[in-house]
Amino acid sequence: YESTDGYMKNINAVGGDNGRENSALRLAGRWLATEDVTVDLMLMYEKEDLNIRSGIPSGTLHPFTFFRLGIREPIPDGVGFYPQNLDLVNHDVRSNSKNELNLAIGTVDWRVTDSLTFTSITAYGTRKLDRLVDGDRSSYDMFTSQADVEWTTKSQEFHLVGEAGNSVDWFLGVGWSEDQEGPVLDITTNGADSPLIGQFGGPPFLGYEQIEVGDREIVRVQEKREVWSVFGELTWHLNEQWWLSVGGRFTDETEEQIGEVSSDFGPSQDIGGTSKPVSDFRPRVAVHFDVTDNVNLYGVIATAIKPGIVANDGTVLDDEKFTNYEAGAKGFMLDNRIRFGASIFYTEWDDLQVVTGEFNPGAGPPILTTRGNAADATAKGIELELDYRPVDPFLIRAAFGYLNAKFGS
């Protein structure tokens, strides 16, 4: 259990801060069915109550407001701006978010022989979010946003792990998973200070009725993603220091999004689409060198594909492909009191899928959200981490990360 008042305060009469309250319960049990069969079960429940979202008091309106209406000027709102103002906001709605998570994972391990083990992993989880926030993040009664979201995840995997002699290890698995988000209900209500009040009575927003106080825009979305996969890896110990791993994953994946945007002041707009079924093979190659018993150097090349969906306008997006190159070092020192890790990486994307917003001069919402393919993109970076335990139970942890990502042609 954890509770904090946070560091931000709402000076508005409705009150509130960015405090939060977290509760978590985890239970784990093990049943030794036989000498060769072990059954493990883990249950987890988490609940979070959050008020104002943490942030920097810049006075800038919420992206929903300036994205749709072009209102970009910051509003002092009686609290000023960063860096003079570090912890005060002025919101006319007392924000609150409730987030609940339930998760169950069951594992069965069966040692078939001394050199062969079978494992079954089953998981089921749900998550629910209820949220009420000040849609514009100011003292003006522009927008109030309310969301109700549910998630469900299910998965099943079977693994076989074995040895072939003294120098070769192998791993083979098959899996299925289904992730479903929705139904998502996101309601935005116009208040008395909404810049939209009295607008959209005619061109250029054809099809709109005049907006009045209390008029709402409602987004309903449901997403589903199903994945079947077969995967494996073969590790060859070349000698006491060098070992080579070659593996891959064959995946069959589909993704679907169905929904609509409706409002009290205009026609509805269908959103979402169904992805192309994608079957692909993703190879992975890794080389390891044991400098000592406690220090290891490695290099990895891996690929992956994200299936292209069918956009709102019927356009079929190309599959997004990326290749990642990584090299690094990991190890322990001083009787395991120091643990360190360092890595460099370079990633290439082809046909990167992006979400964009376009102005709509005709009927429907003023901003249309669409998806498309960018040409290509790259990212490179460095990650460093260090854990030092001078004496038990104290732990000193340091980490550094650098990332440089950009679009290409």
Side-chain angles (χ1 to χ4, degrees):
Y1 174 82
E2 179 186 14
S3 178
T4 174
D5 292 335
Y7 66 93
M8 298 176 66
K9 181 181 179 181
N10 185 15
I11 68 169
N12 197 279
V14 300
D17 52 39
N18 71 323
R20 70 177 186 274
E21 186 175 4
N22 295 331
S23 304
L25 176 64
R26 300 184 186 183
L27 300 175
R30 167 168 291 182
W31 175 38
L32 302 177
T34 69
E35 291 183 354
D36 299 320
V37 178
T38 303
V39 180
D40 291 298
L41 178 63
M42 190 277 290
L43 303 176
M44 181 173 68
Y45 171 78
E46 291 186 359
K47 182 179 179 181
E48 178 187 51
D49 287 341
L50 176 67
N51 296 323
I52 301 173
R53 291 184 179 181
S54 300
I56 299 173
S58 63
T60 304
L61 294 176
H62 186 264
F64 173 89
T65 306
F66 66 68
F67 183 58
R68 293 201 166 208
L69 306 176
I71 302 176
R72 300 180 181 274
E73 294 298 323
I75 299 176
D77 241 349
V79 292
F81 310 129
Y82 176 89
Q84 286 73 30
N85 173 24
L86 299 177
D87 55 7
L88 299 178
V89 296
N90 192 349
H91 298 172
D92 67 305
V93 176
R94 190 182 180 99
S95 301
N96 181 258
S97 297
K98 297 182 182 295
N99 199 346
E100 288 192 22
L101 171 68
N102 295 276
L103 181 63
I105 301 176
T107 304
V108 179
D109 286 311
W110 174 28
R111 188 178 62 182
V112 183
T113 67
D114 291 339
S115 59
L116 180 63
T117 302
F118 170 81
T119 302
S120 170
I121 304 174
T122 306
Y124 178 81
T126 62
R127 180 184 167 200
K128 182 175 176 60
L129 171 67
D130 293 317
R131 182 180 66 208
L132 175 66
V133 297
D134 187 342
D136 51 272
R137 310 294 200 270
S138 76
S139 63
Y140 294 92
D141 183 18
M142 296 186 189
F143 305 106
T144 300
S145 179
Q146 180 181 355
D148 184 1
V149 188
E150 296 180 359
W151 292 266
T152 302
T153 180
K154 297 175 282 188
S155 66
Q156 175 64 58
E157 289 191 2
F158 298 109
H159 301 169
L160 278 176
V161 180
E163 300 176 1
N166 297 324
S167 60
V168 177
D169 301 328
W170 59 271
F171 167 82
L172 182 64
V174 60
W176 168 84
S177 67
E178 181 182 274
D179 297 317
Q180 183 169 309
E181 178 181 354
V184 177
L185 181 62
D186 195 341
I187 302 174
T188 302
T189 305
N190 288 271
D193 298 322
S194 171
L196 301 181
I197 298 298
Q199 295 191 33
F200 307 152
F205 300 94
L206 300 176
Y208 274 108
E209 301 294 337
Q210 181 167 307
I211 295 180
E212 299 178 352
V213 175
D215 281 352
R216 304 181 303 170
E217 180 181 76
I218 304 174
V219 180
R220 295 180 177 89
V221 181
Q222 186 157 329
E223 296 184 2
K224 180 180 178 181
R225 178 172 177 263
E226 185 174 23
V227 179
W228 289 89
S229 58
V230 178
F231 43 91
E233 188 172 69
L234 186 68
T235 301
W236 182 21
H237 298 270
L238 305 176
N239 53 43
E240 292 184 355
Q241 289 182 295
W242 287 94
W243 43 291
L244 172 69
S245 295
V246 179
R249 175 183 291 264
F250 176 81
T251 303
D252 185 85
E253 179 178 342
T254 58
E255 186 173 352
E256 181 181 30
Q257 183 189 69
I258 301 174
E260 69 170 356
V261 178
S262 60
S263 68
D264 295 328
F265 47 85
S268 299
Q269 174 200 357
D270 292 332
I271 59 176
T274 302
S275 70
K276 302 176 300 180
V278 171
S279 298
D280 69 279
F281 179 71
R282 311 173 189 180
R284 180 182 183 274
V285 179
V287 177
H288 295 259
F289 175 68
D290 294 329
V291 181
T292 67
D293 291 340
N294 295 326
V295 179
N296 173 265
L297 305 179
Y298 69 92
V300 179
I301 301 176
T303 64
I305 291 180
K306 178 180 179 181
I309 71 164
V310 180
N312 299 347
D313 60 0
T315 303
V316 180
L317 272 61
D318 293 330
D319 297 339
E320 175 183 314
K321 313 174 192 68
F322 80 85
T323 303
N324 183 66
Y325 307 87
E326 182 177 343
K330 297 180 180 180
F332 298 87
M333 299 173 60
L334 298 180
D335 295 329
N336 295 335
R337 290 193 175 275
I338 293 180
R339 184 189 67 83
F340 66 90
S343 65
I344 58 174
F345 61 88
Y346 177 79
T347 304
E348 295 179 333
W349 284 271
D350 289 324
D351 297 317
L352 179 68
Q353 296 181 31
V354 295
V355 178
T356 61
E358 297 181 356
F359 175 73
N360 176 27
I367 297 294
L368 297 179
T369 301
T370 62
R371 296 190 185 189
N373 287 112
D376 59 65
T378 60
K380 55 186 177 182
I382 300 173
E383 293 182 350
L384 305 173
E385 56 182 11
L386 176 68
D387 287 354
Y388 174 49
R389 192 177 295 276
V391 294
D392 292 331
F394 295 103
L395 175 66
I396 300 173
R397 174 167 293 171
F400 170 81
Y402 168 79
L403 177 66
N404 184 334
K406 61 182 180 180
F407 286 103
S409 59

